[in-house]
C-alpha cells in the first residue's frame, strides 16, 4: 500500500505532524511519502492520499487549496484523509473546524478530517503574525498531541487495509 502525505506548512510545525504521521504508518508496514503539495505532479502512484494544512485566519494555506484544485478528480478514486493544524485551542475547549473542510471533503470524497492543535513559536513569527497573536490572545507554546497523531496513523492503516483488502505487512518480533 502506497500512501502520500501532502502537507502545507508555513513555519514547519504542521510538516512535523505529517512526518510523525508518516512514521506511525511506516511502523505499521505502509510505504509512505511526505511531500509539499507543490512537489506532487500526480497522485496516480498512490492508493491513499492524506492532505494536511496549517490553518491561518480560519483557512488552509494556499498550497493545500491549490493541491485540492489540481488533483480533486484523481483524489475521487482513492482513499483520502484530511488533517488541519491549528488554531491553538483554549485549555479545556476543542479546536474548532474551519470552513474549508466541508467543501474539500465533498470534492475529494475524503473519508475523514482530523484537527490537531498546533504550535505558536514567537521566534518564527513575522511582525504581522505577532500582532495577530497579541490581539487574539492566542497562547504561545506547543500544543501538538503526538499520541493522537500516532493513534490516527494506526487507525488509517487499519481502516484502509480493511476497506481495500490490502494486506499491510506487520513487523515480526522475536
Amino acid at each position: 500500500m502506497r500512501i502520500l502525505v501532502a502537507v502545507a506548512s508555513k513555519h514547519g510545525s504542521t510538516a512535523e505532524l505529517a512526518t510523525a504521521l508518516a512514521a506511525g504508518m511506516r511502523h505499521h508496514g505502509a510505504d509512505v511519502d511526505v511531500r509539499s503539495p507543490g512537489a506532487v505532479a500526480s497522485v496516480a502512484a498512490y492508493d491513499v492520499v492524506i492532505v494536511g494544512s496549517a490553518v491561518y485566519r480560519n483557512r488552509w494555506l494556499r498550497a493545500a487549496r491549490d493541491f485540492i484544485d489540481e488533483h480533486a478528480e484523481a483524489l475521487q478514486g482513492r482513499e483520502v484523509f484530511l488533517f488541519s493544524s491549528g488554531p491553538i485551542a483554549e485549555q479545556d475547549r476543542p479546536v474548532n473546524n474551519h470552513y474549508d473542510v466541508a467543501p474539500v471533503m465533498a470534492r475529494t470524497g475524503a473519508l475523514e478530517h482530523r484537527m490537531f492543535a498546533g504550535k505558536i513559536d514567537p521566534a518564527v513569527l513575522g511582525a504581522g503574525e505577532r500582532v495577530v497573536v497579541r490581539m487574539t490572545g492566542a497562547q504561545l507554546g506547543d500544543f501538538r498531541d503526538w499520541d493522537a497523531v500516532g493513534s490516527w496513523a494506526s487507525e488509517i492503516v487499519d481502516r484502509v487495509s480493511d476497506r481495500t483488502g490490502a494486506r499491510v505487512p506487520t513487523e515480526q518480533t522475536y
Side-chain angles (χ1 to χ4, degrees):
M1 170 184 341
R2 297 232 27 234
I3 299 175
L4 169 66
V5 181
V7 60
S9 184
K10 188 167 184 177
H11 295 297
S13 65
T14 305
E16 291 171 353
L17 287 170
T19 300
L21 181 64
M25 291 184 293
R26 286 184 192 116
H27 178 75
H28 292 283
D31 179 14
V32 185
D33 293 329
V34 179
R35 304 272 184 266
S36 66
V40 179
S42 171
V43 297
Y46 300 97
D47 306 300
V48 179
V49 178
I50 301 167
V51 184
S53 180
V55 175
Y56 283 84
R57 293 184 215 154
N58 212 32
R59 298 192 73 179
W60 270 15
L61 296 177
R62 168 69 58 197
R65 295 190 322 258
D66 289 349
F67 178 86
I68 295 299
D69 289 343
E70 183 177 343
H71 300 285
E73 187 175 328
L75 292 171
Q76 287 282 337
R78 290 177 171 62
E79 305 288 325
V80 177
F81 297 85
L82 309 173
F83 78 90
S84 301
S85 173
I88 303 302
E90 296 280 336
Q91 288 189 352
D92 300 324
R93 280 185 43 207
V95 178
N96 296 322
N97 286 339
H98 55 90
Y99 66 84
D100 283 342
V101 172
V104 171
M105 287 191 76
R107 290 184 66 203
T108 62
L111 299 170
E112 183 178 2
H113 170 261
R114 288 282 174 107
M115 178 64 103
F116 296 106
K119 172 183 171 182
I120 298 180
D121 179 356
V124 299
L125 299 178
E129 291 169 320
R130 287 192 300 272
V131 168
V132 170
V133 166
R134 273 197 311 271
M135 288 175 53
T136 62
Q139 296 178 17
L140 301 177
D142 189 344
F143 300 92
R144 295 171 293 177
D145 184 341
W146 300 109
D147 290 337
V149 173
S151 293
W152 195 44
S154 176
E155 290 171 29
I156 289 172
V157 172
D158 289 346
R159 186 172 180 181
V160 171
S161 296
D162 289 346
R163 285 175 61 92
T164 64
R167 288 224 176 257
V168 177
T170 57
E171 294 182 272
Q172 294 182 351
T173 56
Y174 299 94

